[in-house]
Amino acid sequence: MTLAQADDFLTESEVLHDALSGLSDAELRTQTQFKGWTIEDVLVHLHFWNTGADLSASDEAAFMARMGGAMASLKATGSLRSYENETIPERGADLCALWIETARDIAARWRDMDPKARLPWVGPSMSARSSMTARQMETWAHGFEVFDLLGKVRADSDRIKNIVILGVNTFGWSHQVHSLPVPDAMPKLTLTAPSGATWEFGDEGDNSITGPAADFAAVVTQTRAFADTALTATGEVAQTWMANAQCFAGPPETPPAPGSRHKQEG
């Protein structure tokens, strides 16, 4: 048994790395449309959590020490940024190289891991499959602001299904984290994969969501406003979910305002 999501995580990382090819250190410090983060900030964040996930499988004591520092920083400052920056001192081209080399190393070792192995995390433990899916999701989601800044369109593949499934599995969480009652039934999802295949999830009923799978992934990762996608949501439950979707852990986050996240031109 192999952990296929390790290869999907690596592909996602390589696609982002290719987009960064040739950028100078100064260009890596350019601000994106995401909370004023620079490309360099994105790489610090991705490398911090990639190595954190790796520690959860190889050195639980070191992992707990790192998470303890992260939670202390969050409590003291309301942000993880300073702790991430202190933990990952590399910058510029050195950071970019370290991030991708480490991602390649992690993927090579995790490929042979039992997908069902339980690993510690912030809060409940996760399976190795879920942990690696989360790393792919973060790389795809934060890669969005980089592609937008560079005026590039990422070529998605059906590996995005991992992120779609994560969005489906966090239907209840999206409501709970925003202090909303969890509906009894999930809307029927009919999504078109990058390959043209149809992916279906959820329950038949009066609520439904249809459209591109990549747009659904963008909404649940809060990289696009629902209004800026080609998705159609029918019914109150479907519309409420799309207005509050959040497939990642942490405090409730507000989705981007319509028009605020987009591919820059020129």
Side-chain angles (χ1 to χ4, degrees):
M1 182 180 296
T2 59
L3 183 59
Q5 285 75 14
D7 288 325
D8 293 330
F9 157 71
L10 178 57
T11 300
E12 211 67 70
S13 300
E14 296 285 9
V15 167
L16 178 55
H17 183 252
D18 287 347
L20 298 174
S21 177
L23 294 185
S24 67
D25 287 4
E27 288 170 323
L28 290 172
R29 292 192 294 272
T30 307
Q31 284 193 354
T32 72
Q33 297 167 1
F34 178 73
K35 299 182 179 181
W37 284 23
T38 65
I39 298 175
E40 199 170 63
D41 290 332
V42 169
L43 295 178
V44 167
H45 179 76
L46 291 178
H47 186 61
F48 178 91
W49 291 101
N50 287 352
T51 53
D54 197 37
L55 284 174
S56 77
S58 61
D59 190 337
E60 185 170 349
F63 168 76
M64 296 306 295
R66 177 178 287 198
M67 292 305 103
M71 293 306 102
S73 174
L74 184 62
K75 183 177 180 180
T77 68
S79 171
L80 296 171
R81 300 299 301 137
S82 60
Y83 187 71
E84 291 177 355
N85 285 328
E86 291 168 5
T87 306
I88 311 298
E90 292 81 6
R91 293 295 181 268
D94 290 343
L95 169 63
C96 192
L98 178 63
W99 157 71
I100 192 61
E101 288 166 6
T102 304
R104 290 166 180 162
D105 175 60
I106 290 172
R109 288 183 288 100
W110 280 57
R111 190 176 292 124
D112 297 324
M113 194 179 297
D114 179 358
K116 297 181 180 179
R118 302 305 299 183
L119 303 173
W121 197 242
V122 183
S125 65
M126 290 198 298
S127 68
R129 178 186 288 113
S130 294
S131 181
M132 194 48 50
T133 296
R135 300 321 318 137
Q136 180 196 354
M137 179 274 293
E138 283 252 47
T139 305
W140 186 85
H142 283 294
F144 228 119
E145 57 249 32
V146 175
F147 278 89
D148 284 345
L149 174 65
L150 299 177
K152 298 182 178 182
V153 176
R154 175 173 43 202
D156 283 311
S157 76
D158 283 9
R159 70 181 180 274
I160 203 174
K161 190 172 187 178
N162 296 321
I163 304 172
V164 170
I165 292 173
L166 185 60
V168 169
N169 290 344
T170 51
F171 170 72
W173 162 253
S174 293
H175 290 78
Q176 292 167 349
V177 72
H178 290 96
S179 301
L180 297 169
V182 179
D184 294 331
M186 179 186 298
K188 177 70 174 182
L189 288 176
T190 305
L191 304 173
T192 304
S195 66
T198 298
W199 295 337
E200 295 184 332
F201 304 91
D203 305 301
E204 296 287 354
D206 296 332
N207 287 270
S208 64
I209 298 168
T210 61
D215 281 0
F216 177 80
V219 170
V220 299
T221 56
Q222 295 189 356
T223 57
R224 283 291 187 271
F226 175 77
D228 294 334
T229 72
L231 295 173
T232 298
T234 302
E236 183 178 352
V237 172
Q239 292 168 6
T240 298
W241 182 19
M242 292 294 91
N244 297 278
Q246 179 173 328
C247 75
F248 47 87
E253 295 285 353
T254 303
S260 64
R261 300 285 298 275
H262 56 84
K263 182 173 75 73
Q264 295 186 193
E265 303 295 338

